């Protein structure tokens, strides 16, 4: 086993050294690897509530006086985490598009791809419209980051676009099913912790009763509704 891994690493090193251009590098990347990267990015998103739980444990203060401040801090961490996933998804989609164009050796391949995928094209046009809105905004900071509570600025729009790209890249049924399972598992863990409803544990995890780590009870309701629908789909 060890020898096999060493041989594969030597082969990988030899292949990388033989690459002379960025075009060859793009061609060298297997499409299956790009699909796996998209899967792992979406896995991180589905499990992001658990990431927030861990970040809460690492906070300095766990007292009812600091609960609101802790939730705002965790909200900032969560937004940054989602943006990282989204921006990575955009970069991944650019690699997929470039690889597709190179494989077909057609300079006009990009326009053909866009025309054959009307929904992504429509969403891309909406994103372009958002960029124009930002460019002509009278409050650039607000348009870029959004309000501290909502964080719905142009950066978050691009993050959403990247997340959509990851989902669009992911074609294999097994990956999609596993993502659904991970999302349901995350929701199940949050639900169990809410049912326990132990005051010291709630403060440690920055929980509010019936809202978990969400700053609005409605948001937690949306999260559980989506998890319920996915759980029902998995049971079919």
């Amino acid at each position: 086993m060890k020898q096999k891994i060493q041989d594969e690493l030597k082969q990988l090193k030899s292949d990388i050294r033989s690459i002379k251009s960025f075009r060859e590098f793009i061609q060298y990347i297997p499409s299956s690897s790009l699909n796996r990267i998209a899967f792992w990015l979406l896995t991180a998103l589905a499990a992001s509530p658990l990431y927030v739980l861990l970040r809460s444990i690492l906070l300095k203060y766990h007292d009812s006086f600091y609960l609101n401040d802790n939730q705002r801090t965790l909200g900032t961490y969560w937004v940054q985490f989602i943006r990282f996933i989204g921006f990575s998804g955009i970069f991944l989609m650019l690699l997929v598009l470039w690889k597709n164009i190179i494989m077909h050796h057609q300079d006009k391949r990009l326009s053909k791809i866009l025309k054959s995928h009307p929904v992504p094209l429509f969403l891309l046009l909406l994103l372009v419209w958002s960029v124009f809105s930002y460019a002509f905004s009278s409050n650039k900071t607000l348009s870029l980051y959004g309000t501290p509570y909502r964080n719905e600025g142009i950066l978050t729009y691009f993050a959403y676009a990247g997340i959509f790209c990851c989902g669009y890249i992911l074609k294999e049924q097994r990956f999609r099913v596993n993502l659904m399972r991970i999302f349901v598992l995350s929701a199940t863990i949050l639900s169990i912790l809410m049912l326990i409803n132990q005051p010291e544990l709630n403060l440690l995890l920055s929980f509010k009763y019936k809202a978990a780590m969400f700053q609005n009870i409605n948001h937690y309701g949306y999260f559980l509704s989506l998890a319920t629908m996915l759980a029902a789909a998995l049971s079919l």
Side-chain angles (χ1 to χ4, degrees):
M1 183 66 179
K2 182 179 179 180
Q3 184 62 40
K4 181 180 179 181
I5 295 175
Q6 290 178 344
D7 292 340
E8 290 178 352
L9 289 175
K10 288 180 180 179
Q11 182 63 43
L12 177 63
K13 186 177 181 180
S14 176
D15 292 342
I16 292 176
R17 284 183 173 179
S18 65
I19 295 174
K20 303 299 182 183
S21 65
F22 185 70
R23 176 184 288 266
E24 291 180 359
F25 173 72
I26 294 296
Q27 289 177 313
Y28 177 75
I29 302 175
S31 297
S32 59
S33 295
L34 298 177
N35 283 329
R36 287 184 179 277
I37 293 172
F39 169 73
W40 286 113
L41 286 173
L42 292 177
T43 296
L45 179 66
S48 61
L50 304 182
Y51 161 77
V52 176
L53 292 184
L54 294 176
R55 289 305 301 257
S56 178
I57 294 173
L58 297 176
L59 291 176
K60 187 174 182 180
Y61 302 106
H62 298 94
D63 187 86
S64 57
F65 179 79
Y66 295 101
L67 180 57
N68 290 330
D69 288 338
N70 285 350
Q71 285 203 330
R72 282 191 290 268
T73 300
L74 292 173
T76 301
Y77 291 153
W78 207 347
V79 169
Q80 292 172 348
F81 189 69
I82 291 173
R83 284 176 181 169
F84 173 79
I85 294 171
F87 297 156
S88 300
I90 291 176
F91 178 73
L92 186 65
M93 176 57 81
L94 292 176
L95 287 179
V96 171
L97 287 174
W98 202 328
K99 184 176 179 65
N100 201 299
I101 292 169
I102 291 173
M103 286 179 61
H104 291 83
H105 303 286
Q106 296 178 7
D107 295 335
K108 296 183 179 180
R109 179 65 183 174
L110 179 60
S111 61
K112 292 182 178 180
I113 291 174
L114 293 175
K115 289 179 181 178
S116 61
H117 297 81
V119 173
L121 177 59
F122 174 71
L123 295 177
L124 176 62
L125 293 176
L126 288 179
L127 187 61
V128 172
W129 181 263
S130 298
V131 173
F132 278 113
S133 297
Y134 165 74
F136 292 99
S137 171
S138 59
N139 190 333
K140 290 290 193 298
T141 302
L142 182 63
S143 299
L144 185 65
Y145 299 104
T147 63
Y149 175 69
R150 295 185 182 278
N151 294 291
E152 292 289 349
I154 189 69
L155 291 178
T156 304
Y157 284 16
F158 272 97
Y160 292 160
I163 291 169
F164 174 83
C165 289
C166 287
Y168 206 75
I169 292 170
L170 211 59
K171 301 296 184 182
E172 293 188 40
Q173 182 71 14
R174 62 188 180 94
F175 284 150
R176 295 182 175 183
V177 171
N178 286 336
L179 278 174
M180 293 167 64
R181 289 171 176 166
I182 293 168
F183 190 95
V184 172
L185 176 62
S186 299
T188 302
I189 293 174
L190 289 188
S191 299
I192 292 173
L193 292 172
M194 273 286 83
L195 289 174
I196 294 174
N197 193 31
Q198 209 276 338
E200 287 76 14
L201 181 61
N202 289 349
L203 290 175
L204 178 66
L205 301 176
S206 301
F207 273 12
K208 286 184 178 179
Y209 183 56
K210 296 183 179 180
M213 80 282 284
F214 295 87
Q215 295 184 36
N216 190 313
I217 191 173
N218 291 334
H219 299 164
Y220 184 49
Y222 304 150
F223 175 78
L224 291 181
S225 296
L226 182 57
T228 301
M229 288 187 288
L230 292 178
L234 287 171
S235 65
L236 296 177

